[in-house]
Amino acid sequence: MARMKFICDTERCIECNSCATACKNEHEVPWGVNRRRVVTVNDGVIGQEKTISVACMHCSDAPCMAVCPVDCFYRTDEGVVLHNKDTCIGCGYCSYACPFGAPQFPSNGTFGLRGKMDKCTFCAGGPEENGSKAEFEKYGRNRLAEGKLPLCAEMCSTKALLGGDGDAIADIFRSRVMRRGKGSEVWGWGTAYGKSPNPNATAPAAATAAPASFTEGKK
Amino acid sequence: MQLTRKGHSGQRTPSRFSSSLSDTLSRALPTMDRRTFLKRSGIGVGAGIAASQLSLIKRANASAAAGDGKGKIEVKRTVCTHCSVGCAVDAVVENGVWVRQEPVFDSPINLGAHCAKGAALREHGHGEYRLKYPMKLVNGKYQRISWDVALKEVSEKLLALRKESGPDSVFFVGSSKHNNEQSQMLRKFVSFFGTNNCDHQARICHSTTVAGVANTWGYGAMTNSYNDMQNAKAALYIGSNAAEAHPVSMLHMLHAKENGTKMIVCDPRFTRTAAKADQYIRFRSGSDVALLFGIAYHIFKNGWEDKKYINDRVYGMDKVREEVMKWTPEKVEEVSGVPEAEVFKAAETMAKNRPSTIVWCMGQTQHTIGNAMVRASCIVQLILGNVGVSGGGTNIFRGHDNVQGATDVGPNPDSLPGYYGLATGAWKHWSTVWGVDYEWVKKQFASQAMMEKSGTTVSRWVDAVLEKNEYIDQDSNVKGVVFWGHAPNSQTRGLDMKKALDKLDLLVVIDPYPSATAAMAAMQVDGQELNPNRAVYLLPAATQFETSGSVTASNRSLQWREKVIEPLFESRTDHMIMYQLAEKLGFGKELVAKIKLVPGKGGMMEPEPESMLEEINRGTWTIGYTGQSPARLKAHMRNMHMFDVKTLKCKGGKDPVTGYDMTGDYFGLPWPCYGTAAIKHPGSPNLYDTSKHVMDGGGNFRANFGVEKDGVNLLAEDGSHSLGAEITTGYPEFDHILLKKLGWWDDLTEAEKKAAEGKNWKTDLSGGIQRVAMKHGCHPFGNAKARAVVWNFPDPVPLHREPLYGTRPDLVAKYPTHDDKKAFWRLPTLYKSVQQKNVENKLYEKFPIILTSGRLVEYEGGGEETRSNPWLAELQQENFVEINPKAASDRGIRNGEYVIVSTPTGARLKVRALVTPRVGPDTAFIPFHFSGWWQGKDMKDAYPEGAMPVVRGEAVNTATTYGYDSVTMMQETKTTICNIERFAA
Amino acid sequence: QEAAKPAAQPIPAAAPAPAVESVDIMKQNQAERSRDQPGNNAPVWRAVKEGQQHYSSLPAPEAGVLIQAKEQFPGQARATSAGEAWRQYRNGPLTSYGGWLLILAVLGIAAVYLLRGQIKLNAPRTGRLIERFTSLERVTHWTMALSFLALALTGLTMLFGKHVLMPLFGHTLFGWLAYACKNVHNFVGPLFTASVIVFFVMFVRDNLPGKGDLDWLKKLGGARGHASAGRFNAGEKIWFWGGVTVLGLIVSGSGFVLDKIVPNLEYTRALMQYANVIHLVAAVLVFAMSLAHIYIGTIGMEGAYDAMRTGYVDDAWAKEHHDLWYEQIEKGEIPRVRTAEGAKVIQPAKAV
Ligand SMILES: Nc1nc2c(c(=O)[nH]1)N[C@H]1C(S)=C(S)[C@@H](COP(=O)(O)OP(=O)(O)OC[C@H]3O[C@@H](n4cnc5c(=O)[nH]c(N)nc54)[C@H](O)[C@@H]3O)O[C@H]1N2
Ligand SMILES: Nc1nc2c(c(=O)[nH]1)N[C@H]1C(S)=C(S)[C@@H](COP(=O)(O)OP(=O)(O)OC[C@H]3O[C@@H](n4cnc5c(=O)[nH]c(N)nc54)[C@H](O)[C@@H]3O)O[C@H]1N2
Ligand code: HEM
Ligand code: HEM
Ligand code: SF4
Ligand code: SF4
Ligand code: SF4
Ligand code: SF4
Ligand code: SF4
Ligand SMILES: [Mo]
């Protein structure tokens, strides 16, 4: 069974915000809720600037899931971390726990009034029936059920953002790394999946040459 | 691999019934094969993935599964309206409502990719903040009126102005957002009104490029394509921030980089584009000629120039070389601030990694010497022999989605469609094409002289209103302005513009989002005189998603947009409005003499876009807009998957609907696509490319400037010609005489002969001359040399001249600007007097920071459309000034606080400080997309009700200063001066 | 051609052996690193992991933070992303030790009750009453007590509910319950705080340390012989100061932060994590203490509950448990009756 993951290729990401906007469009996400956002590290510093698009990474051992007082998270067969808005009490704990700042709330939280948590669904909807109106209204479109991939990745201007089966996108990424000979770190994977990407995949030279450098922040 | 099943492995335990239901459902849903997966992951680019795709029908089913399954679902293919890249979009429409937007992976241009603006297109289908019905300004407030009243009053006022002050008293600001059909019709409309006072965005965008480049080698367009940049081994971006302004072009460039292409970015700011470069060169705004000639200096010095190419295909390089060799490394550093080593490195990279390409955009064009800067870029490419080569060329990234098309066939003050100019012959040509009598057209004008005199430009309409009557080169001042798809905050000198707006007798704004102009007209400025008789009307136009038509992308490819939805609210299509206004103005019949009318909104008749395109096809021989028939374009749109991503060439295949065989066609038939559609010219992917046969899109430089100059041959040298040409040396452009001389006249059919007699390749309406020339492998426009020296320009060899407003009086002494001009595009235009005065007044002490401006990826142009789109507006909520940490700390300014940016015009902009090393300490940058604040105040109350954009802010152009290009009247927006201080509440 | 090279040796970072990586390399910025080891982005990733705010055009707080900064709560073996550290802490020690503490507290009290039974009055009631708490004092106490209980039960439902209640009620029902609990908790919190403040003002004077307190403690509140006490004994004072005042205010303060109602604060996730940890620790402690208090106030001691229910105590009770206070009343230093209402109740009694 495919394991869904994201890779944001920082050698390609240009802070165009297409991913963030595509998500808003596809799921009618309201103002103030940002399932995906784009961050630039070392903004404007010559030779040091890198841009990264970030959303829920659908972690293997998801902290959000662990702290939720009402256990509204669940994981699909594809490893997508989804949640049930019907049970969510809007306590905000998932957002405190999430390393990536993925969980979002429609309101500011005064007196704990945050509304139901919303976050990236990997375009896989929620517990309602696939493609139903109820599912759309609560969670947005269910593209996976339609045989499509996350729209943010599909619309990424430079194809920096890859979303899909972890092994497959790691292969794609690796082939780019091999061609350009740099930018081999897969951002966020260490934090989200607790290990370097795709250690078992038999990849050409690259993987065996330096598997360790496939993880972020090596030194 | 099956990627679609919904999992139940969570703690959630659905009831048995619902779980079995969803099991069945998930089995019924489509799965994704590996190929589709890879494509959807975006690996199509050059990675050898076969281009198969879900068919449209399957796609519709997929979306049907997503909807509630009841509605009628259609998929309409359209093209993003926010920039010249031309990204295709599939709009899913359910019961007439635009419900979803899907990427078009098949598009060879964007492979499904978008930037933020493209990803937010569907908002156009809602248009919450649009003008919903016609309105009129009454006592400072906008009031709703009916279309009938609006059309009646507007036409009456126009006729009155025409009668009292002559047709030249009205200025029409057209639009690069109109499709080709509307653009061409607007030029016709203005002509029939009797004036050349019309213009559009290109003036303040790439006019210097068009003039400079066309005068160098023939056509003023991007020579290659975004796709072709994959073939470049090196790319020099100078004055282009493609990552924000043409984001999807970066898809091709970054892919190329992965294959070893070296990327150099020269920009005063360290932009998002620069962040991706192998070499970044920071230099002083306005010093492009120095930098480019500095690069050329090293090329010459090391003997890296392409000597044979220069000999065979370039005129005047020796003169240029003399000027270039004056740009020693010390001088280059003095003027541009770039040390020798960096310049050398760039020169070496460009020379040793050929084919290398150069990319420029607004950083070069928007200067008083823009025409010189762009020619300096051309010269570098000519020296390297890079023009006319795949992977080389001058990749001039155009602006608006259809600025290329609107420039080609739209409302230009100095030309009829197709760059025919305004001479009698041109008028006769177009009168025939339009099916009207030349004499009748002439009578519409004040005189034949005015008919053949270039009009005022959009950059200067303000002065045409305000200038003393005796100084202007037409009878009356401009008293009426029609803004037909253009924002006010995109023109410089906002303070003056407000004065002009208040002085007008008539202001008509025809726009889906006319609110920036509306608010600026309605707001009150203390102590400013207001014309008590002024009339202001707002007419809601439909967007390009509410009509169909063709649009020309930067690479000259034409794409056909299908109509996505019906015009929203009370809006009407631009061509319907043109037709209805023309009827009231008395030339309705003439406007559509050769055009089919079809029922449009509410059953009212409107010109049919296909028929309008056919009129363009019939008339635009000069630049080859003749082969792109609606049928061919539609076939391309339906079969995008058949075109190669790198070459744009159709690998072979027939359109299943019409049976049309597209084999060999280039996607969108990039112009020139010569001859009639029947002869199937494939379009020209790269201009002037001699390695291809002309019938395979090959070419050579154009013979547009005679055959010799002062005894020097201007035609190509022996052996230099496009592949397979029967004439193996240079030759002039084709006309009936040349055909006869060559003995090719009899290749024409009898009918063609009749039409071609006395005509040339541009005016022969049968297309016979073009057909025969190409049959013999020759280029209809001749085969000549490119001109490194453009003798008809003020600076034949590009010279560096300091901007009018600068911080370097020392350099003004060495590189002064031009002398003042008296009647230039109908207006006196100042250079030296302004520059001298500024130096005398020591403005550089009061305003010590260079102010430049440009783009943010989220917004477009004046920004009214995009700032009304909440998905985009959320991403940039306030205007700001980029200021270097050092400059900020000198002034006690902290990141995020309000500052006042003041300029010599007296403007005081209140914006947030973005303290960032993106700019150096001597430079500041403000994005230009904002409006709605005026000198620190929110103009909320001045907006028509319900049509205020979500985000408003201070417009940088309120503060920009005087200064215009010496050839095209381009406004100077990229280099002026300012001071920045903390805002004290 | 330079660019073709990497295919063979794709990942430059692998080339230099780790031995060269000295402290200096840790100090390199990205530009320097790119120069020395092209393609090595480690400095950027380090910056990312340090959890700084980077640039994001979104004005949302922390929009620019990619990964939360590292954190190591007391007792944790290593630092992890703050969210993860907090999760480990809350779901680990705080939940389990907290849970055990409460279970032990209940067991302890049960044991005391079983072994010791109710503390009976030794002397028979005299029938003479003293007005110990005015109705205002009682209203305040009960407001505080009931809001506390509401908070404790709702709060603990949020903490332990999914382990204890969800298996019983099922997901949906528990979801509703938790939702109600959360909202009750969020709005009752400030009421509790207000009552604590009023209560504090009312009773602080009688809770100042006084003579006898040490003695009372030494005698374990009477377990080892009679322990004298003033109006409030040392145990109550500890409850007053330690439980209600200090822990109550800690719980309140952190609660206000969790409620996001403290003005001019930047509500970062780190702040919320700290607030939660503080809130939880204090809440569990104060709840454990309150169990003891409630026990003594109800079944633990004969006559105590009357004081809080009616406001009056019998002379016998006063003499037995608060002898110093009783002496003062007898001496007339403290009035036996403090309110008109009290006078009505006590007069007839006197007449009897
Ligand atoms: N997001 C977005 N995209 C757009 C548009 C938009 O409004 N928004 N508009 C479209 C249009 S109409 C156009 S014309 C294009 C424009 O596209 P670009 O020209 O790429 O965009 P700009 O930001 O105007 O300017 C480019 C760069 O020029 C630099 N510059 C400033 N002064 C100088 C100078 O003296 N010399 C040089 N060499 N560079 C200088 C600026 O720092 C800036 O980074 O974008 C198109 N695409
Ligand atoms: N300071 C500074 N100034 C600049 C620039 C800069 O870099 N710095 N750049 C310059 C450049 S390159 C350009 S191109 C200009 C751009 O400036 P403008 O072209 O003036 O800006 P837009 O907002 O794109 O204007 C297009 C208008 O057309 C309307 N519109 C959209 N579709 C349609 C349609 O189908 N029909 C009709 N009738 N209207 C439609 C939109 O609502 C909008 O009001 O700004 C120039 N000004
Ligand atoms: C149902 C539960 C409760 C009962 C039956 C109860 C009972 C009592 C009684 C009988 C007294 C008086 C003791 C005396 O006369 O000396 C008292 C005092 C007090 N109670 Fe409670 N109580 C309860 C809950 C609480 C709670 C939840 C709190 C705190 C949050 C609290 C705080 C106090 C305080 C501070 C005093 C006074 C002690 C002093 O000032 O030193 N009580 N309670
Ligand atoms: C005094 C007794 C109190 C107790 C025993 C108590 C207990 C708790 C507990 C156990 C939690 C759950 C923590 C977790 O699951 O990690 C919690 C959460 C919380 N408490 Fe309290 N609390 C008390 C008082 C207060 C007060 C006075 C306030 C506010 C002024 C307050 C505001 C909150 C808030 C805002 C939360 C977060 C819950 C949410 O928003 O969903 N609490 N409390
Ligand atoms: S990224 Fe955050 S929200 Fe997503 S699974 Fe991981 S912890 Fe949960
Ligand atoms: S906000 Fe909702 S999803 Fe997040 S932890 Fe609380 S209940 Fe769970
Ligand atoms: S995967 Fe879907 S839901 Fe998640 S960020 Fe992308 S578009 Fe939004
Ligand atoms: S769409 Fe792609 S390039 Fe643009 S910001 Fe998102 S990840 Fe980066
Ligand atoms: S604005 Fe340009 S790059 Fe962006 S989606 Fe539209 S056409 Fe493509
Ligand atoms: Mo432009």
Side-chain angles (χ1 to χ4, degrees), chain B residues 78-83 87 121 124 177 400-402 543-545 561 860 865:
Chain B
T78 181
V79 175
C80 174
T81 53
H82 290 302
C83 92
C87 301
L121 280 191
H124 285 279
K177 309 221 58 162
H400 280 357
D401 58 330
N402 198 35
T543 65
Q544 295 301 320
F545 304 108
R561 288 192 183 109
E860 187 245 64
E865 272 180 285

Side-chain angles (χ1 to χ4, degrees), chain A residues 56-59 62-64 81 98-100 102-103 119:
Chain A
C56 171
M57 293 288 279
H58 303 276
C59 304
C64 57
V81 175
C98 172
F100 301 99
K119 75 166 188 67

Side-chain angles (χ1 to χ4, degrees), chain B residues 492-527:
Chain B
T492 52
R493 295 165 54 209
L495 298 182
D496 291 332
M497 180 183 291
K498 175 58 185 159
K499 287 187 196 126
L501 282 172
D502 284 355
K503 199 178 169 202
L504 288 175
D505 288 326
L506 175 65
L507 174 66
V508 184
V509 195
I510 308 172
D511 195 310
Y513 298 87
S515 46
T517 325
M520 212 171 149
M523 73 176 182
Q524 276 151 26
V525 172
D526 293 339

Side-chain angles (χ1 to χ4, degrees), chain B residues 599-625:
Chain B
K601 178 158 183 167
M604 292 177 290
M605 297 308 274
E606 67 176 7
E608 185 204 48
E610 282 85 350
S611 170
M612 292 159 79
L613 174 56
E614 279 156 5
E615 181 165 274
I616 297 175
N617 293 154
R618 279 197 307 276
T620 319
W621 302 93
T622 40
I623 51 174
Y625 260 73

Side-chain angles (χ1 to χ4, degrees), chain A residues 12-13 15 17-18 24-26 28 32 43 49 75 78 130 135 143 147 154-155 159 180, chain B residues 4-6 9 32 37 40 66 100-102 111 114 116 119 122 258-259 272 276 858 874 918:
Chain A
R12 281 204 181 197
C13 178
E15 206 222 347
N17 268 322
S18 171
K24 290 242 159 187
N25 183 341
E26 181 73 347
E28 298 280 6
D43 174 49
E49 185 180 294
R75 193 190 311 277
E78 292 101 25
N130 280 345
E135 184 189 50
R143 293 179 66 84
E154 291 201 338
M155 279 194 183
K159 310 288 182 191
R180 69 185 173 219
Chain B
T4 54
R5 211 156 68 79
K6 189 179 202 111
S9 54
M32 209 188 300
F37 171 77
R40 286 197 166 269
R100 274 181 96 172
Q101 177 185 342
E102 286 287 338
L111 298 111
H114 287 299
R122 190 171 62 86
E258 275 153 21
N259 289 329
R272 297 285 184 247
K276 293 285 172 286
E858 294 85 0
E874 189 180 357
R918 289 177 200 171

Side-chain angles (χ1 to χ4, degrees), chain B residues 103 108 373 444 464 664 762 835 936:
Chain B
M373 292 183 183
Q444 297 296 97
K762 299 185 277 197
Q835 195 180 52

Side-chain angles (χ1 to χ4, degrees), chain B residues 80-87 113-119 245-249:
Chain B
C80 174
T81 53
H82 290 302
C83 92
S84 65
V85 173
C87 301
H114 287 299
C115 72
K117 299 179 297 305
H246 304 90
V248 171
S249 74

Side-chain angles (χ1 to χ4, degrees), chain C residues 52-95:
Chain C
Q52 293 142 320
Q53 274 276 5
H54 304 283
Y55 173 82
S56 172
S57 70
L58 282 173
E62 294 192 274
V65 178
L66 280 161
I67 297 186
Q68 285 188 36
K70 293 222 161 147
E71 182 58 87
Q72 188 172 11
F73 285 102
Q76 287 187 329
R78 63 190 184 96
T80 44
S81 147
E84 175 65 13
W86 171 69
R87 162 228 179 148
Q88 302 284 6
Y89 210 50
R90 174 182 177 274
N91 286 11
L94 296 189
T95 309

